[in-house]
Amino acid sequence: MSTSPTKSPEWRPLAAQRAALACGAYELLYGGAAGGGKSDYLLVAPLRWVHLPASRAILFRRSFPELERTLIARSHTLYRPLGASYHATRREWAFPGGGLVTFGYLESPTDALRYQGAEFSFVGFDELTHFDEASYRYLSSRLRSAHGVPVRLRATTNPGGPGHEWVRHRWGAWIGREPTALPGERRWYDPDGRAVIDGTPDALSRVFLPAALRDNPYLGTAYRAQLLALDPVTRAQLLDGDWDAAVGEGALFHRDWWRMLDTAPPVARSVRAWDFGAGGDATVGVLLGDAGHDVTPRWVVLDVVSHRGPPHEVHRLVQATAARDGRAVTVVVPQDPGQAGVDQAASYTRELAGYDVRTRRPTGDKVTRARPWSAQVGAGNAALVRAPWTAAFVAELHAFPEGGHDDQVDASADAFATLVDTPAYAFTRVPSTRR
Ligand SMILES: Nc1ncnc2c1ncn2[C@@H]1O[C@H](COP(=O)(O)OP(=O)(O)OP(=O)(O)O)[C@@H](O)[C@H]1O
Ligand SMILES: [Mg+2]
């Protein structure tokens, strides 16, 4: 595949990108707010050496779909005008001078082993907190200088994500709880990762540079508005690049955020979602109503039942509750992984013949699953009906994820997810008050 070299694309570095591009340290993390121009920086950074035939760069995203959607898609805009040609099966750009830029993904820790024996002059990771530390270390060991091409280890990321802690620890001098280095200040580390003074043999230099959304004039206010609609913790991480925004008590479902109602308002549709207790935990069923998109607060927790007991009692409770809620209410039962989960969900579906029963397979961790629901509660768009269960519900959600229990968090988040995932016309309208 060949392309005609045309003039360079219109790409001028933002101030922070310029600092990152100029950084001569061995290892750099360019991190912070979403939309700070991090991925664009990573694509442009290796271009400085692509005129050298020995220049070998590789850029990673955690998964292949993300890689295609982000770095690869954008690379066509940025690289093609430079006369580079793309080899799709190798996921590799060849530049006129002989330099190569390849794309890779590391979905499982063993994927790193595919690069055994490979050598690169530039290794880059986009969204570093999505990777595990072992993969990062392994790939960085593939860095070799050849024929005067300097070696560079580069990463970009937002705070948050599964690798938040190790990334924060590695750049602890800049973004830890007690930072000792200024943004852009260079520090040296020995091969075992210990901080050493400049001039120590084998020491490698490391730098952190912050990326901020406000730096990027290429993004409109709509992008900022999207970030403002996130739950409070994710918002602080993505909008402000805040590494300290902690998911802790009151962070996701603060007790002051709920609107309290004395009686149940009319709702357009409602869902009863169950979380089955295991190992002595309570089984919980949360009834959540949707008052309609033009009503605030839109989401109303109408009822919570809970029970500790053997399986046959739980089955009886689920059936009795469905009968009490009525046929207009959708019932959601979780389907745990494995055959036992499939069998359990199937047996509930059979027992609830005549009701609209849905099964949900939990995906991602509990905090991730709770975030969309937290965003609504945090925005003052959720209410609770005053009842004997209300205080315990508020307390459990306030303590999440630090508290001992999360059954009511899971059940209400599942009810919410079902309501937002299911188009309104798929539900039967329910009468103004629940029976
Ligand atoms: N120097 C630049 N010149 C032109 N456009 C730019 C420049 N830097 C970034 N952009 C554009 O701004 C938008 C955001 O940049 P980019 O995707 O690099 O940010 P990001 O920090 O990786 O964002 P996210 O956190 O969402 O991954 C993109 O559309 C990108 O193409
Ligand atoms: Mg990006």
Side-chain angles (χ1 to χ4, degrees):
M1 199 187 341
S2 82
T3 49
S4 58
T6 55
K7 65 179 179 358
S8 295
E10 199 47 51
W11 197 89
R12 286 201 189 81
L14 307 166
Q17 286 171 335
R18 191 188 310 274
L21 289 168
C23 174
Y26 165 75
E27 181 179 13
L28 166 69
L29 175 65
Y30 178 46
K38 301 181 304 294
S39 299
D40 260 29
Y41 153 74
L42 202 61
L43 282 164
V44 169
L47 296 181
R48 181 165 163 192
W49 298 283
V50 290
H51 62 285
L52 302 171
S55 168
R56 295 281 177 276
I58 185 154
L59 305 179
F60 288 103
R61 266 307 276 230
R62 174 70 195 266
S63 76
F64 181 62
E66 284 172 332
L67 180 68
E68 266 196 313
R69 206 175 53 239
T70 58
L71 297 181
I72 293 181
R74 179 71 172 148
S75 73
H76 284 267
T77 309
L78 292 174
Y79 292 176
R80 203 173 282 287
L82 303 175
S85 53
Y86 189 59
H87 191 295
T89 45
R90 287 206 296 263
R91 297 188 301 275
E92 186 171 274
W93 286 97
F95 285 81
L100 301 177
V101 178
T102 310
F103 296 103
Y105 57 94
L106 297 168
E107 234 143 345
S108 77
T110 51
D111 284 343
L113 301 175
R114 283 200 307 261
Y115 298 94
Q116 218 162 6
E119 295 190 357
F120 300 101
S121 51
F122 186 110
V123 175
F125 291 84
D126 196 27
E127 292 303 345
L128 185 58
T129 58
H130 295 183
F131 295 85
D132 60 283
E133 187 172 14
S135 300
Y136 179 78
R137 282 168 177 257
Y138 186 78
L139 267 302
S140 61
S141 75
R142 306 287 95 219
L143 275 165
R144 296 276 186 283
S145 171
H147 308 287
V149 188
V151 294
R152 295 285 189 265
L153 179 55
R154 294 291 178 261
T156 69
T157 200
N158 299 132
H164 180 93
E165 285 310 322
W166 79 258
V167 171
R168 189 183 181 176
H169 184 251
R170 192 170 180 91
W171 280 271
W174 298 265
I175 56 177
R177 282 180 213 287
E178 286 165 7
T180 55
L182 292 170
E185 186 180 334
R186 207 183 277 215
R187 291 291 169 88
W188 276 263
Y189 295 84
D190 71 12
D192 296 324
R194 281 183 295 256
V196 293
I197 54 164
D198 184 12
T200 308
D202 297 331
L204 294 167
S205 52
R206 194 179 292 172
V207 169
F208 171 80
L209 280 168
L213 176 62
R214 62 177 176 280
D215 295 346
N216 189 349
Y218 301 104
L219 284 174
T221 45
Y223 189 81
R224 207 182 156 80
Q226 255 176 37
L227 295 181
L228 284 170
L230 293 165
D231 72 83
V233 173
T234 314
R235 191 195 309 150
Q237 290 175 333
L238 298 189
L239 194 62
D240 311 323
D242 182 352
W243 286 84
D244 282 320
V247 184
E249 193 154 290
L252 288 163
F253 300 97
H254 199 283
R255 59 169 66 85
D256 297 341
W257 297 343
W258 298 98
R259 311 282 185 93
M260 300 303 288
L261 304 173
D262 288 323
T263 50
V267 293
R269 50 200 193 120
S270 54
V271 163
R272 169 80 68 176
W274 290 93
D275 185 76
F276 297 125
D281 277 349
T283 286
V284 170
V286 173
L287 180 66
L288 182 69
D290 174 3
H293 63 88
D294 48 357
V295 181
T296 306
R298 176 170 178 182
W299 313 102
V300 187
V301 182
L302 296 162
D303 184 51
V304 177
V305 292
S306 73
H307 182 72
R308 274 194 178 77
H312 72 273
E313 287 181 18
V314 173
H315 279 258
R316 243 193 346 249
L317 174 72
V318 171
Q319 280 174 44
T321 308
R324 189 161 59 93
D325 287 342
R327 297 201 174 209
V329 174
T330 299
V331 185
V332 175
V333 291
Q335 183 186 312
D336 295 337
Q339 192 54 41
V342 173
D343 292 347
Q344 187 189 45
S347 101
Y348 275 107
T349 306
R350 270 196 308 277
E351 286 164 22
L352 294 168
Y355 294 92
D356 177 20
V357 193
R358 315 274 172 96
T359 55
R360 282 191 81 83
R361 256 187 301 250
T363 49
D365 62 287
K366 284 170 185 289
V367 171
T368 307
R369 290 208 307 274
R371 284 183 195 282
W373 174 219
S374 158
Q376 293 298 309
V377 178
N381 204 13
L384 291 166
V385 177
R386 272 185 233 279
W389 49 264
T390 315
F393 183 86
V394 169
E396 181 187 306
L397 271 72
H398 182 86
F400 181 77
E402 316 269 273
H405 295 284
D406 48 27
D407 329 275
Q408 302 183 82
V409 179
D410 281 355
S412 57
D414 269 1
F416 174 74
T418 306
L419 283 169
V420 295
D421 288 351
T422 316
Y425 55 77
F427 283 84
T428 326
R429 273 191 101 74
V430 292
S432 56
T433 46
R434 182 176 79 70
R435 295 182 44 227

